[in-house]
DNA sequence: CCAATACTGAAGCATGTGCTTAAGTATCGG
DNA sequence: CCGATACTTAAGCACATGCTTCAGTATTGG
């Protein structure tokens, strides 16, 4: 079939599995090794590694290996690019608020609880 | 396996297919019948109907049948609920702008290009 | 050094997915 | 009424996915 190889399809596909979304959530709290990621999950490390490969293939996480430990972390750009699919597809009512938000974001840096 | 039945998984799964995203895009320009949706797509109407069933099962579109014509339209809430998964998962830098947007959206109705 | 640790990779099984074809069932227009 | 229209549904095929087991390969601590 060889048809779902575009980045958006890969990302949505990756997020369609609750185990993988849990892994993303874990990684949002900070980088973690394969063992650390596998520990709370009720399946073999092998399966977790396969899930991580899907997430990495979708550009949602990245990893690097130091010694025998591979450490994963979220790729914020991957998440943002996926979320960006929705923005131009909001209904007009939602879009008006949205355009305001973008306008303000462009014009003034925000204040943290002034 | 029977494991991907939660609404979020269904929605992401539905959006993981380019044909289905195209159908959503078509429907964002206005409601359409099955025939109208199937016409520009290079596959049988049967296949398109199956794609539409996936989208409807995921709560991304709705349909009603009048006479022999079934008309589909986007369900904006379904799309918004799916997009909402990303919001609390943005990195801190992005989140600051985001919280500003929400704050402003709550306080003042926007002006259209004054 | 060498056994424990931390993955890695291949094979295999059960199910799920994306199509097609083919045979329906309603409704409508004349 | 009756043929065209507009779906609907079921069966079946090829390939994808989510696991498991099992057999590796590097690293590392003592």
């Amino acid at each position: 079939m060889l048809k779902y190889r575009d980045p958006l399809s890969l990302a949505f596909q990756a997020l369609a599995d609750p185990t993988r979304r849990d892994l993303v959530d874990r990684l949002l709290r900070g980088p973690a090794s394969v063992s650390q990621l596998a520990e709370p999950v009720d399946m073999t490390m092998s399966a977790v590694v396969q899930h991580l490969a899907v997430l990495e293939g979708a550009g949602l996480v990245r990893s690097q290996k130091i010694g025998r430990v591979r450490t994963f972390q979220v790729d914020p750009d991957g998440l943002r690019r996926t979320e960006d699919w929705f923005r131009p597809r909001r209904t007009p009512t939602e879009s008006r608020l949205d355009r305001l938000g973008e306008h303000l974001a462009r014009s003034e840096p925000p204040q943290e609880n002034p």
Side-chain angles (χ1 to χ4, degrees), chain A residues 4-113:
Chain A
Y4 313 101
R5 297 303 169 238
D6 61 295
L8 209 46
S9 297
L10 289 172
F12 281 134
Q13 178 86 317
L15 294 175
D17 185 297
T19 303
R20 286 193 291 260
R21 289 198 303 276
D22 285 348
L23 289 170
V24 169
D25 282 341
R26 167 65 188 80
L27 289 174
L28 281 165
R29 286 189 224 93
S33 69
V34 175
S35 309
Q36 289 174 323
L37 291 164
E39 189 270 317
V41 178
D42 188 29
M43 63 181 71
T44 63
M45 183 161 72
S46 203
V48 172
V49 167
Q50 289 172 58
H51 280 303
L52 290 167
V54 172
L55 287 169
E56 189 156 28
L60 297 172
V61 307
R62 279 178 290 114
S63 75
Q64 57 186 351
K65 192 165 186 173
I66 297 173
R68 56 185 169 177
V69 178
R70 179 172 297 276
T71 303
F72 280 86
Q73 57 188 297
V74 168
D75 184 338
D77 278 7
L79 272 182
R80 192 189 40 69
R81 274 193 297 270
T82 312
E83 179 178 10
D84 282 351
W85 182 84
F86 292 92
R87 203 183 305 279
R89 287 168 178 85
R90 291 179 188 161
T91 54
T93 327
E94 295 171 303
S95 295
R96 288 177 63 228
L97 284 178
D98 195 42
R99 281 195 300 277
L100 172 74
E102 273 164 34
H103 168 70
L104 291 162
R106 243 177 283 112
S107 50
E108 285 281 347
Q111 301 275 253
E112 201 76 66
N113 244 349

